[in-house]
């Protein structure tokens, strides 16, 4: 929250310690009256008069003296055409349409930003009447009607324009048009999405033209009140509350109240509001032509889509930076000061999505012929199911999510089993509508997987924070793995061969990318280490051994055994002094040596 300035403190005392909305009314009257009447010698304290809330817009403010009331009446007739472009008559406005926000500086506010008042209007005439009153009001030239949208009706956003809006994290949710800006209507739309929020957070993008229009008005006020020593800060936002923050004050808390939850900037349920204006691009293009530089961060336009600059936080900063590169005279050559009244106000689209939730555990694959993820070759699926599908089909219904991402610490081949305590994995749940279930539900999920006959089981299933993904990635390079392979040698097994294998420690391999994966991986030579091996002859055979290995992550075990046409050196037969390579019949992953979850619960 911005600190209250001495100017606002004095104004609050003068107005009888009114609340912020009441001060907003007072500041609006001050700017409109002073800008229209322009009394060169009028002391500042005489130009500021309270404007108490009242039901009758034509009645003079109760706290005004007769002389001050005549000053207000004089303000209804601006003396110059430029004033008539952006000033409205305070005596003829509806009571739902005046405010100017400024709580962050040592000087008064700049722009007569319009803020609708819905408390009295809705209570007496209903939401429909408030929307009709808002539609009849002139659009604020500074905010393009952004602060008027909570009053009611809006024009629908064309589908082509929706397609050009920025994506949410994980591409969650979808943009929807909104024909009412009221918090009641927005809350109803959110409920229809089916989300069960615990906290909500508001993300807002604004038309870039709002920045240039506020800057133009700022330059106008600086010039107009130069003799009174007002608006001396070098930067506009040192004295003016950010439009996005003002809108957040108006919308966030009432919307949270409508939904019955708390509002938090880091809330799990994100509500994205995009305010669009048809002229935003044409009004700001001059900045990027005359100000130099590129189109700026946040600027994105798809081929064939309307050209719109979406002023989110980064885009707004970009517009301000570009404007600051221009001299005041150059800026005002391209941007009218004060800005004209726009013919139409903004349109609004919304997007509701939940930040990703994360479920982690270790999976076991007890059968061969099961892929880790869906495996499709030339349009043909290989295998009836996959580890990813079995886990996702069990977990996602409890979250009512749109989709998921499956991340693991490495992968095993289609014909390789994953035994031991299992392979660590993380399931990213995208746009979940239900809350995280209790741990007992995760136990039921594990039990359900064990009862099925697809060979996939899960251990230590639990909800985890996002940081676990970094641990999973770090473990990929650092972990060690243990394997068991059934191998066939080109010669009969001898005790000497067994001793050579058992006594080999820290064997360094040079493995060129295997032929079987060369279509999807770069052709490189990788150094890998076999830390230890143990050999046991298979009873009843002369050429078969059971080979147990502990290796560095990323070691190609099959290629170490059969040499991959000499692309792995040394290989098993080379160690044993054999001229022909060995072959591998079966392979199992026994263990992933990796500290993954602090509390790895065993299945019930």
């Amino acid at each position: 929250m911005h600190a209250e300035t001495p100017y606002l403190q004095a104004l609050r005392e003068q107005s009888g310690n009114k609340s912020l909305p009441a001060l907003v009314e007072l500041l609006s009257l001050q700017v409109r009256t002073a800008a229209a009447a322009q009394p060169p010698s009028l002391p500042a304290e005489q130009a500021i008069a309270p404007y108490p809330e009242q039901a009758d817009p034509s009645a003079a403010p109760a706290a005004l003296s007769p002389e001050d009331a005549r000053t207000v009446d004089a303000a209804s007739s601006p003396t110059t055409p430029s004033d008539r472009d952006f000033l409205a008559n305070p005596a003829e406005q509806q009571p739902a349409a005046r405010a100017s926000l400024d709580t962050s500086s040592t000087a008064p506010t700049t722009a007569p930003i319009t803020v609708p008042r819905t408390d009295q209007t809705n209570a007496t005439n209903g939401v429909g009447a408030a929307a009709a009153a808002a539609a009849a009001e002139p659009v604020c030239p500074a905010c393009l009607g952004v602060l008027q949208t909570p009053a009611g009706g809006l024009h629908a956003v064309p589908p082509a324009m929706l397609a050009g809006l920025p994506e949410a994290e994980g591409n969650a949710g979808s943009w929807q048009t909104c024909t009412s800006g009221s918090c009641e209507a927005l809350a109803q739309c959110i409920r229809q999405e089916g989300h069960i929020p615990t906290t909500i957070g508001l993300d807002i993008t604004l038309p870039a033209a709002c920045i240039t229009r506020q800057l133009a008005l700022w330059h106008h006020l600086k010039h107009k009140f130069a003799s009174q020593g007002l608006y001396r800060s070098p930067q506009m936002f040192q004295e003016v509350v950010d439009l996005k923050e003002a809108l957040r004050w108006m919308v966030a808390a009432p919307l949270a109240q409508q939904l019955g939850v708390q509002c938090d900037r880091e809330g799990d349920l994100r509500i994205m509001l995009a305010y669009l204006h048809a002229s935003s691009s044409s009004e700001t293009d001059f900045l990027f032509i005359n100000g130099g530089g590129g189109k700026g961060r946040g600027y994105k336009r798809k081929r064939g889509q309307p050209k719109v600059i979406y002023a989110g936080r980064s885009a707004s900063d970009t517009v301000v930076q570009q404007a600051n590169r221009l001299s005041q005279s150059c800026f005002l050559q391209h941007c009218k000061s004060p800005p004209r009244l726009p013919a139409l106000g903004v349109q609004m689209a919304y997007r509701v999505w939940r930040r990703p939730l994360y479920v982690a555990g270790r999976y076991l694959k007890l059968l061969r012929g099961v892929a880790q993820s869906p495996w499709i070759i030339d349009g043909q699926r290989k295998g009836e199911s996959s580890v990813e599908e079995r886990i996702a089909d069990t977990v996602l219904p409890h979250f009512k999510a749109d989709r998921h991402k499956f991340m693991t610490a490495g992968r095993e081949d289609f014909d390789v089993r994953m035994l031991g305590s299992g392979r660590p994995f993380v399931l990213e749940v995208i746009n979940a509508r239900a809350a995280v279930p209790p741990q007992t539900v995760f136990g039921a999920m594990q039990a359900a997987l064990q009862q099925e006959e697809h060979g996939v089981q899960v251990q230590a299933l639990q909800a985890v924070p996002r940081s676990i993904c970094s641990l999973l990635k770090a473990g990929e390079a650092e972990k060690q793995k243990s394997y068991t392979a059934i191998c066939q040698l080109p010669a009969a097994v001898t005790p000497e061969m067994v001793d050579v294998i058992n006594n080999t420690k820290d064997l360094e391999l040079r493995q060129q990318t295997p032929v079987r994966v060369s279509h999807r991986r770069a052709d490189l030579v990788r150094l890998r280490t076999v830390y230890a091996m143990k050999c046991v002859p298979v009873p009843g055979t002369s050429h078969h051994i059971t080979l147990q290995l502990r290796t560095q992550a990323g070691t190609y075990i099959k290629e170490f055994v059969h040499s991959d046409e000499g692309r792995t050196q040394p290989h098993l037969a080379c160690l044993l002094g054999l001229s022909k390579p060995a072959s591998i019949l079966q392979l199992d992953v026994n263990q992933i040596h990796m500290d993954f979850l602090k509390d790895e619960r065993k299945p019930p």
Side-chain angles (χ1 to χ4, degrees):
M1 183 66 68
H2 294 276
E4 194 170 89
T5 66
Y7 184 84
L8 272 180
Q9 292 174 358
L11 188 61
R12 186 185 292 277
E13 294 174 0
Q14 178 185 355
S15 63
N17 293 321
K18 287 186 175 294
S19 61
L20 179 60
L23 290 181
V24 164
E25 295 284 349
L26 298 179
L27 291 171
S28 176
L29 178 63
Q30 175 223 339
V31 172
R32 294 177 185 274
T33 302
Q38 196 178 0
S41 60
L42 186 64
E45 60 271 13
Q46 296 182 21
I48 305 170
Y51 195 94
E53 298 184 10
Q54 51 188 329
D56 183 6
S58 63
L64 291 175
S65 66
E67 181 179 356
D68 290 333
R70 286 194 297 273
T71 302
V72 174
D73 292 338
S76 64
S77 300
T79 58
T80 65
S82 61
D83 288 333
R84 284 194 294 270
D85 283 338
F86 80 103
L87 292 175
N89 185 352
E92 295 178 358
Q93 287 192 37
Q94 296 293 332
R98 292 182 307 276
S100 181
L101 297 180
D102 180 1
T103 58
S104 62
S105 71
T106 58
T109 188
T110 63
I113 302 176
T114 303
V115 177
R117 288 166 45 195
T118 60
D119 49 353
Q120 296 178 1
T121 309
N122 287 350
T124 57
N125 301 326
V127 176
E137 295 174 356
V139 178
C140 173
C143 71
L144 292 172
V146 168
L147 297 181
Q148 294 170 283
T149 55
L154 296 167
H155 294 286
V157 180
M161 192 174 288
L162 289 176
L165 288 171
E167 303 290 352
E169 182 179 353
N171 196 24
S174 60
W175 285 105
Q176 304 291 334
T177 186
C178 192
T179 56
S180 175
S182 68
C183 292
E184 296 88 343
L186 192 56
Q188 183 177 358
C189 293
I190 295 170
R191 293 190 192 98
Q192 291 175 354
E193 296 279 338
H195 288 279
I196 304 176
T198 54
T199 58
I200 64 169
L202 205 59
D203 299 316
I204 299 172
T205 63
L206 299 175
C210 289
I211 304 300
T212 55
R213 283 174 166 268
Q214 289 179 74
L215 282 170
L217 189 56
W218 168 258
H219 288 309
H220 173 75
L221 294 176
K222 285 181 68 175
H223 173 74
K224 197 154 192 171
F225 299 110
S227 62
Q228 298 185 27
L230 303 179
Y231 311 107
R232 290 184 173 181
S233 297
Q235 299 294 332
M236 179 181 70
F237 288 115
Q238 293 179 5
E239 297 195 46
V240 179
V241 173
D242 183 18
L243 177 60
K244 189 180 295 186
E245 290 303 310
L247 181 62
R248 196 184 302 276
W249 292 343
M250 293 176 60
V251 175
L255 183 58
Q257 186 176 8
Q258 287 286 332
L259 295 171
V261 297
Q262 294 294 322
C263 183
D264 187 340
R265 285 185 180 265
E266 301 300 323
D268 61 337
L269 184 66
R270 309 306 300 176
I271 301 170
M272 302 178 69
L273 303 180
Y275 294 84
L276 314 173
H277 198 271
S279 65
S280 181
S281 180
S282 61
E283 290 189 20
T284 54
D285 278 348
F286 77 94
L287 292 176
F288 302 100
I289 297 173
N290 298 279
K295 287 183 169 59
R297 293 171 55 202
Y299 183 96
K300 183 183 292 185
R301 180 165 65 100
K302 297 183 179 180
R303 185 184 299 273
Q305 299 297 338
K307 186 178 180 182
V308 178
I309 296 178
Y310 303 106
R313 173 62 63 181
S314 61
S316 294
D317 290 343
T318 301
V319 173
V320 173
Q321 291 168 8
Q322 294 294 97
N324 288 337
R325 293 182 182 181
L326 300 178
S327 64
Q328 179 175 334
S329 59
C330 183
F331 177 85
L332 295 179
Q333 284 179 6
H334 299 275
C335 194
K336 181 173 176 58
S337 177
R340 293 187 178 94
L341 281 170
L344 295 174
V346 292
Q347 299 164 295
M348 188 179 79
Y350 71 92
R351 186 173 195 159
V352 182
W353 61 285
R354 198 189 208 108
R355 283 181 168 165
L357 303 175
Y358 297 89
V359 176
R362 289 177 178 261
Y363 77 79
L364 289 82
K365 191 176 78 175
L366 305 180
L367 299 178
R368 306 185 195 278
V370 178
Q372 186 186 78
S373 56
W375 191 11
I376 299 175
I377 303 176
D378 298 329
Q380 298 294 322
R381 182 188 180 99
K382 190 167 184 179
E384 295 183 0
S385 184
S386 66
V387 174
E388 175 184 345
E389 290 171 304
R390 300 316 309 171
I391 294 176
D393 289 347
T394 302
V395 173
L396 290 187
H398 294 274
F399 289 87
K400 300 179 181 179
D402 287 352
R403 56 189 177 279
H404 70 279
K405 291 181 182 178
F406 191 61
M407 298 167 280
T408 62
R411 62 189 303 124
E412 69 282 339
D413 290 339
F414 180 76
D415 58 348
V416 175
R417 295 186 298 178
M418 180 66 238
L419 306 176
S421 61
R423 184 182 296 276
F425 74 89
V426 174
L427 187 72
E428 180 179 339
V429 182
I430 298 175
N431 200 23
R433 288 164 176 78
V436 177
Q439 186 58 41
T440 54
V441 176
F442 287 105
M445 297 181 201
Q446 292 183 189
L449 282 168
Q450 289 178 352
Q451 293 174 2
E452 299 182 9
E453 298 180 355
H454 45 64
V456 177
Q457 295 185 7
V458 171
Q459 295 182 1
L461 193 66
Q462 56 193 277
V464 294
R466 182 175 183 172
S467 58
I468 202 72
C469 298
S470 301
L471 181 61
L472 189 72
K473 286 294 182 182
E476 275 191 38
E478 301 172 359
K479 66 181 180 294
Q480 298 181 12
K481 298 181 181 179
S482 294
Y483 298 88
T484 297
I486 305 298
C487 306
Q488 182 177 354
L489 302 181
V493 181
T494 64
E496 291 76 16
M497 293 180 182
V498 175
D499 291 340
V500 168
I501 293 174
N502 291 343
N503 292 328
T504 299
K505 307 292 183 183
D506 298 328
L507 176 66
E508 186 174 283
L509 308 179
R510 295 177 57 87
Q511 293 193 302
Q512 190 173 352
T513 302
V515 174
R516 62 188 174 93
V517 298
S518 59
H519 63 285
R520 67 175 187 267
R521 296 191 179 179
D523 189 11
L524 302 173
V525 175
R526 299 169 176 84
L527 300 180
R528 296 292 185 262
T529 302
V530 178
Y531 299 108
M533 292 188 291
K534 183 178 180 181
C535 172
V536 177
V538 176
T541 66
S542 59
H543 290 67
H544 295 81
I545 61 172
T546 299
L547 180 64
Q548 295 179 344
L549 310 92
R550 181 161 178 158
T551 71
Q552 180 183 354
T555 304
Y556 294 109
I557 303 301
K558 292 180 179 179
E559 283 67 25
F560 168 69
V561 174
H562 60 61
S563 85
D564 193 28
E565 302 177 355
R567 297 166 71 91
T568 292
Q569 294 292 336
H571 52 86
L572 181 59
C574 180
L575 288 177
L576 300 178
L578 302 176
S579 58
K580 294 182 179 181
S583 57
I584 186 167
L585 305 181
Q586 287 184 358
L587 180 63
D588 293 329
V589 183
N590 290 337
Q591 194 64 262
I592 307 291
H593 302 281
M594 172 182 171
D595 293 332
F596 179 50
L597 300 174
K598 294 182 179 180
D599 182 17
E600 298 193 46
R601 303 176 181 86
K602 295 183 179 180

